[in-house]
Amino acid sequence: MRITFIGAGNLATHLSKALIHSGHTIAQVYSHTYANAELLGQLVSAEPVCDIADIRGGADVYIFAVKDAVLESLSQELYKRLSATETPLFIHTAGSMSIDTLPAPRRGVLYPMQTFSKSREVDFGIIPVFIEAKTSDDMAVVRALAESVSTKVYEMSSDDRKYLHLSAVFFCNFANHCYRLGESVLAQHQIPFDVMLPLIDETARKVHVLSPHQAQTGPAVRWDSNVIDRHIHLLEGLDDMQSIYKLLSQSIHNDQL
Amino acid sequence: MRITFIGAGNLATHLSKALIHSGHTIAQVYSHTYANAELLGQLVSAEPVCDIADIRGGADVYIFAVKDAVLESLSQELYKRLSATETPLFIHTAGSMSIDTLPAPRRGVLYPMQTFSKSREVDFGIIPVFIEAKTSDDMAVVRALAESVSTKVYEMSSDDRKYLHLSAVFFCNFANHCYRLGESVLAQHQIPFDVMLPLIDETARKVHVLSPHQAQTGPAVRWDSNVIDRHIHLLEGLDDMQSIYKLLSQSIHNDQL
């Protein structure tokens, strides 16, 4: 397919590279910042543009991989221009946004659920991709696109997807922030971060075979108040971390009741 | 070495199995509950006992793998009995307890930092083990024991170890609880937990090459208040989760300032 990308951030970069790799063509890459459009344009052999007015029609699909806050306005602006001459298929990639944010009658969603950092390569083929469309014809297009980059493609409604996205914040961003807070304790005591990697890995691996509830260990699940009190004391002065420690320990405990 | 185990829980089970595997002998296993002592005794060919008075002297080391709350009293009770005829080497395995909790002049610590569940086998050889002793002779014994089961052995003081243990709660128990909370959202919407495994795995793998601070993604790090507000709204009525969402998002945001 011939694809135009609106957006040149982490997700746009990883997704457009995976699409190129599967034999698709990227016609143009739009970014508000020309340097970003140019950078990604070079990676995927696409024309960089930084003005919506420079986006040409004729693409099979227009994929929006932009900040949620600008998705509606950007897609409306582009739709106004293109709808004079074609009935474009618009697809967005945002986990938490409804399919109906897009103005085009032919609209879809292709949400690859992963944590993307530009500096890190990912194996796109194992990333779960959640898709949605309004008609079976458009669903076939969205599905073909998704299946060309991933083996794990699921249809999901906008309503379920917003809860999926919410849960992903817990699984990924909040778990990673627990790593970050733990790291800050290690750093204060000159303990190298690397010693934690086996524990981090085993904690993640365990939930492949046990539920998180079954997998839980530590002072809070045993409600070992001696240890909990000592830990809270060690966090004296670190108000954020002390509050987080108390709230999460109590929540783990409540989960046992 | 000839070892007696005080304790028959998750840690005692995994450690004693690893020690047996390395050619050591377990003489006796003590548990307050005879059935537990018997179960582990059968696994490691050791005599099960449920009364401290039945623990014989003559072991090279006595390893305490018991709840923190009973470590002091149990070790004192055993030391009173054994000190009449020998100078026993007592070792405990508790991350958050000082070496000086033990009454024996010959005392040490061997803390394997991992999350142990009885139903799950672990590769003990890659578990970081933190050791401590009062004399170089006893350190040599503790080190030999530790190195017989793991390739990652580090000397660490009781003071540093309590911070290590505190940080492990964040890396393991709190990260796992984030999985648990995310899972509860999925379950309410009949979304299978398995779809999250690639995200969980990538979140853990990322911090092998990026710091947790560099690895962070999602609405809180971008401070995308539209998404954050929608998520908080979706958690209406789930007071615990809503508080945790707000506190962790704010803490991620503060970390950017």
Side-chain angles (χ1 to χ4, degrees):
Chain A
M1 281 184 242
R2 188 175 164 81
I3 302 164
T4 282
F5 256 87
I6 296 90
N10 290 345
L11 174 54
T13 301
H14 287 284
L15 178 57
S16 61
K17 282 166 68 180
L19 287 165
I20 284 283
H21 193 73
S22 303
H24 301 284
T25 303
I26 314 291
Q28 292 182 302
V29 170
Y30 164 88
S31 168
H32 180 65
T33 312
Y34 185 75
N36 291 346
E38 194 175 26
L39 204 65
L40 180 54
Q42 280 169 355
L43 276 177
V44 298
S45 309
E47 181 195 351
V49 298
C50 65
D51 187 338
I52 288 285
D54 291 332
I55 297 179
R56 287 191 305 274
D60 295 305
V61 298
Y62 300 83
I63 299 182
F64 290 80
V66 295
K67 279 193 188 140
D68 292 5
V70 297
L71 175 60
E72 189 165 3
S73 59
L74 275 180
S75 60
Q76 279 178 354
E77 193 179 343
L78 182 59
Y79 184 67
K80 271 184 212 148
R81 298 186 56 80
L82 296 179
S83 59
T85 52
E86 63 185 280
T87 51
L89 174 54
F90 278 13
I91 296 177
H92 81 65
T93 57
S96 72
M97 303 293 277
S98 165
I99 187 173
D100 295 326
T101 311
L102 296 170
R106 294 184 61 212
R107 53 188 185 262
V109 176
L110 187 160
Y111 168 51
M113 190 178 65
Q114 191 52 281
T115 165
F116 296 104
S117 295
K118 273 190 184 160
S119 64
R120 176 162 168 79
E121 291 300 318
V122 293
D123 176 4
F124 218 101
I126 60 161
I127 296 176
V129 176
F130 297 87
I131 60 171
E132 189 179 4
K134 287 289 185 179
T135 67
S136 56
D137 282 357
D138 287 342
M139 181 61 98
V141 177
V142 179
R143 177 173 285 279
L145 264 185
E147 289 183 346
S148 74
V149 294
S150 171
T151 58
K152 299 186 173 183
V153 176
Y154 307 88
E155 289 187 28
M156 186 175 279
S157 69
S158 287
D159 192 55
D160 279 349
R161 185 165 27 77
K162 70 187 177 192
Y163 286 99
L164 179 80
H165 184 255
L166 168 62
S167 78
V169 168
F170 282 86
F171 284 105
C172 173
N173 309 146
F174 289 172
N176 183 72
H177 194 57
C178 293
Y179 303 161
R180 168 63 174 158
L181 296 174
E183 181 205 26
S184 71
V185 175
L186 294 179
Q188 279 158 28
H189 297 272
Q190 288 85 45
I191 304 169
F193 176 70
D194 284 5
V195 302
M196 280 298 163
L197 292 174
L199 183 61
I200 290 171
D201 291 347
E202 172 67 6
T203 302
R205 272 195 309 262
K206 255 179 136 174
V207 295
H208 284 244
V209 291
L210 301 173
S211 73
H213 182 77
Q214 292 168 324
Q216 191 58 282
T217 57
V221 74
R222 296 191 306 264
W223 203 248
D224 188 337
S225 49
N226 289 325
V227 177
I228 294 169
D229 290 347
R230 279 201 304 274
H231 282 171
I232 290 170
H233 178 70
L234 293 178
L235 293 170
E236 211 67 64
L238 303 168
D239 295 347
D240 262 22
M241 284 188 72
Q242 206 182 47
S243 305
I244 291 169
Y245 187 97
K246 287 177 184 172
L247 192 57
L248 287 176
S249 292
Q250 191 61 54
S251 177
I252 292 171
H253 182 56
N254 294 347
D255 195 33
Q256 300 300 311
L257 305 178
Chain B
M1 282 184 238
R2 188 175 164 82
I3 302 163
T4 281
F5 255 87
I6 295 90
N10 290 345
L11 174 54
T13 301
H14 286 284
L15 178 57
S16 61
K17 281 166 70 180
L19 287 165
I20 283 283
H21 193 73
S22 303
H24 301 284
T25 303
I26 314 291
Q28 293 181 300
V29 171
Y30 163 88
S31 168
H32 180 66
T33 312
Y34 185 76
N36 291 347
E38 195 176 24
L39 204 65
L40 181 52
Q42 280 169 357
L43 276 177
V44 298
S45 309
E47 181 195 352
V49 299
C50 65
D51 187 336
I52 288 285
D54 291 332
I55 297 179
R56 289 191 304 273
D60 295 305
V61 297
Y62 300 83
I63 298 182
F64 292 80
V66 295
K67 279 193 188 139
D68 292 3
V70 297
L71 176 61
E72 188 165 3
S73 59
L74 275 179
S75 59
Q76 281 179 352
E77 194 179 342
L78 183 59
Y79 185 67
K80 270 184 210 146
R81 297 185 55 80
L82 296 179
S83 59
T85 53
E86 64 185 279
T87 50
L89 174 54
F90 278 12
I91 295 177
H92 81 63
T93 57
S96 72
M97 302 293 278
S98 166
I99 187 174
D100 295 325
T101 312
L102 296 170
R106 294 185 60 211
R107 54 188 184 263
V109 175
L110 188 160
Y111 168 50
M113 190 178 64
Q114 192 48 284
T115 166
F116 296 105
S117 295
K118 273 189 184 161
S119 62
R120 177 161 167 81
E121 292 299 320
V122 293
D123 176 5
F124 218 100
I126 60 160
I127 297 176
V129 176
F130 297 87
I131 60 172
E132 189 179 4
K134 287 289 186 179
T135 67
S136 56
D137 282 358
D138 287 343
M139 182 60 97
V141 177
V142 178
R143 178 174 282 281
L145 264 184
E147 289 183 345
S148 74
V149 294
S150 172
T151 58
K152 298 186 174 183
V153 176
Y154 308 88
E155 289 188 28
M156 186 175 280
S157 70
S158 287
D159 193 54
D160 278 350
R161 185 164 28 76
K162 70 187 179 194
Y163 287 99
L164 179 81
H165 184 256
L166 169 61
S167 78
V169 168
F170 282 86
F171 284 104
C172 174
N173 308 147
F174 289 172
N176 183 72
H177 193 57
C178 292
Y179 302 161
R180 168 63 173 157
L181 296 173
E183 180 205 27
S184 73
V185 174
L186 294 179
Q188 280 157 28
H189 297 271
Q190 289 85 47
I191 303 169
F193 176 69
D194 284 5
V195 301
M196 282 296 164
L197 292 173
L199 183 60
I200 290 171
D201 292 348
E202 172 67 5
T203 302
R205 272 196 308 263
K206 254 179 138 175
V207 295
H208 285 244
V209 291
L210 301 174
S211 73
H213 182 77
Q214 292 169 322
Q216 191 58 280
T217 57
V221 76
R222 294 191 307 263
W223 204 248
D224 188 337
S225 50
N226 290 324
V227 178
I228 293 170
D229 290 347
R230 279 202 304 274
H231 283 171
I232 289 170
H233 178 71
L234 293 178
L235 292 169
E236 211 66 66
L238 303 167
D239 294 347
D240 262 21
M241 284 188 71
Q242 207 182 46
S243 305
I244 290 169
Y245 187 96
K246 288 177 184 172
L247 192 57
L248 287 176
S249 292
Q250 191 61 55
S251 176
I252 290 171
H253 182 56
N254 293 346
D255 196 32
Q256 299 300 311
L257 305 178

